[in-house]
Amino acid sequence: APRCWCFDLCSDTTANIYWAASRGVHLHDGSPWLDYFAAVYSDAELPRPFPLHRFNYFYHGVRLWHALFPAVHNPFRPCDLPAP
């Protein structure tokens, strides 16, 4: 079963909340984000530290994500789920 999600990018309002929260946060060795962004940007070596707000491409935690990357947690709400 998919794990819980931490961020919601499904509307302009919630995406802006994510962008504001990600300012000043950096991806680093040991970061819980590392596996996710390594899967999304699989053809690129991710420099570290890397400012989290500079990422601009995301995959939501839909069934296909979990089928392709079963061991990688996706922190984003699937937009087809109702918002809390």
Side-chain angles (χ1 to χ4, degrees), residues 6 11 15 18 20 23 25 32-33 36-37 41-42 47 68 71 76 78 80 83:
C6 305
S11 73
Y18 165 78
R23 296 251 176 231
V25 177
W33 292 89
Y36 169 79
F37 283 111
Y41 293 93
S42 62
L68 294 173
F76 299 106
D80 59 349

Side-chain angles (χ1 to χ4, degrees), residues 13-51:
T13 299
T14 57
N16 285 329
I17 291 169
Y18 165 78
W19 288 114
S22 69
R23 296 251 176 231
V25 177
H26 287 77
L27 183 69
H28 55 81
D29 290 330
S31 171
W33 292 89
L34 192 57
D35 289 341
Y36 169 79
F37 283 111
V40 172
Y41 293 93
S42 62
D43 61 342
E45 177 64 29
L46 296 172
R48 291 178 293 281
F50 190 85

Side-chain angles (χ1 to χ4, degrees), residues 36 39-40 59-70 72-74:
Y36 169 79
V40 172
Y59 286 103
H60 296 147
V62 296
R63 285 188 184 129
L64 181 59
W65 172 271
H66 297 290
L68 294 173
F69 305 104
V72 179
H73 175 61
N74 188 311

